[in-house]
Amino acid sequence: EVVLTQSPDFQSVTPREKVTITCRASQSIGNSLHWYQQKRDQSPKLIIKYASQSFSGVPSRFSGSGSGTDFTLTINSLEPEDAATYYCHQSGSLPGLTFGGGTKVEIK
Amino acid sequence: QVQLVESGGGVVQPGRSLRLSCAASGFTFSSYGMHWVRQAPGKGLEWVALISYDGSDKYYADSVRGRFTISRDNSKNTLFLQMNGLRGEDTAVYYCAKEEIAYDLSGALDYWAQGTLVTVSS
């Protein structure tokens, strides 16, 4: 099973600041890495697919990069509505698909 | 628009069974793989199971293999999760989610249901 390790676990950020979240895979998964945003009491929403492709309707301040084992989600100029927990997810290793542990982003 | 509506959650005693359903609309259900993902209270996301678009391929997390069964009825646009031998650690919100790409077996999950809570307790 591919283990995904996210860092940091928690980040407190002021509006308009830049946020960087990393996700490290225990083995190479190519670009089969996706990012989701989950706001409090809501279901997760896809924001970045295949490491760097933005999902339809997602604001351009969200971007992703990386391949192999190291991936990054960047939020440029954080907005108050971006307060959420962010998860990475790998789909490159069946049968065991996995999620990272999550990064909670709080607005100061 | 895509809609996924779950039902079947509730409180169940350890060792008993429960079946979750996920009714799909707004897309060609028979063309997409489907997943179940769960989230224990206050915890992160855990992938549970995957079924291919035609039901011919199924995969499970180690934690549920042999106890849970994923299935689908493409004539009724409905996904199921049969959960047997339930344990306390199965307590979670269960989400069904849709594969983004038609006929793909494992990729990004572009739409998620609202979630249904399963509580395993005596």
Side-chain angles (χ1 to χ4, degrees):
Chain A
E1 175 182 284
V2 176
V3 176
L4 297 179
T5 304
Q6 280 186 242
S7 62
D9 295 333
F10 175 83
Q11 198 162 10
S12 184
V13 187
T14 56
R16 293 181 299 281
E17 197 174 335
K18 180 179 177 179
V19 173
T20 300
I21 299 169
T22 65
C23 179
R24 175 161 288 176
S26 59
Q27 63 191 67
S28 179
I29 53 172
N31 71 338
S32 296
L33 191 285
H34 320 290
W35 292 96
Y36 302 85
Q37 175 194 67
Q38 185 179 32
K39 297 183 179 180
R40 185 180 175 87
D41 296 325
Q42 294 185 17
S43 54
K45 289 180 170 56
L46 177 65
I47 52 174
I48 299 291
K49 56 180 182 172
Y50 296 101
S52 61
Q53 299 175 30
S54 293
F55 185 58
S56 175
V58 174
S60 59
R61 61 182 179 273
F62 291 92
S63 64
S65 63
S67 67
T69 60
D70 293 300
F71 302 87
T72 300
L73 172 69
T74 301
I75 312 174
N76 281 302
S77 191
L78 188 80
E79 297 286 340
E81 62 263 31
D82 299 335
T85 300
Y86 294 84
Y87 294 94
C88 56
H89 157 229
Q90 68 82 18
S91 64
S93 178
L94 275 175
L97 306 181
T98 48
F99 287 88
T103 297
K104 185 173 182 178
V105 174
E106 175 194 86
I107 307 298
K108 279 182 183 175
Chain B
Q1 71 280 22
V2 172
Q3 275 203 304
L4 298 170
V5 179
E6 296 163 345
S7 59
V11 180
V12 60
Q13 293 179 329
R16 305 299 290 262
S17 299
L18 204 62
R19 188 173 87 152
L20 305 182
S21 299
C22 173
S25 61
F27 65 103
T28 306
F29 180 72
S30 60
S31 297
Y32 291 86
M34 296 292 296
H35 297 246
W36 288 99
V37 177
R38 68 184 180 183
Q39 187 169 35
K43 302 297 185 182
L45 301 172
E46 179 188 14
W47 174 77
V48 173
L50 154 66
I51 187 168
S52 60
Y53 68 97
D54 60 356
S56 61
D57 293 302
K58 303 176 184 181
Y59 297 91
Y60 299 93
D62 288 345
S63 57
V64 307
R65 188 176 295 114
R67 299 187 299 123
F68 290 12
T69 301
I70 189 171
S71 62
R72 64 191 298 159
D73 185 339
N74 284 346
S75 69
K76 296 182 178 177
N77 291 346
T78 304
L79 174 73
F80 302 101
L81 185 68
Q82 177 67 43
M83 303 184 293
N84 298 333
L86 282 162
R87 307 166 180 167
E89 55 264 37
D90 296 319
T91 295
V93 173
Y94 285 73
Y95 298 100
C96 64
K98 168 189 167 291
E99 280 279 346
E100 184 215 5
I101 298 174
Y103 308 111
D104 199 9
L105 189 56
S106 176
L109 307 180
D110 61 348
Y111 289 96
W112 297 58
Q114 81 286 356
T116 188
L117 177 62
V118 173
T119 303
V120 183
S121 174
S122 54

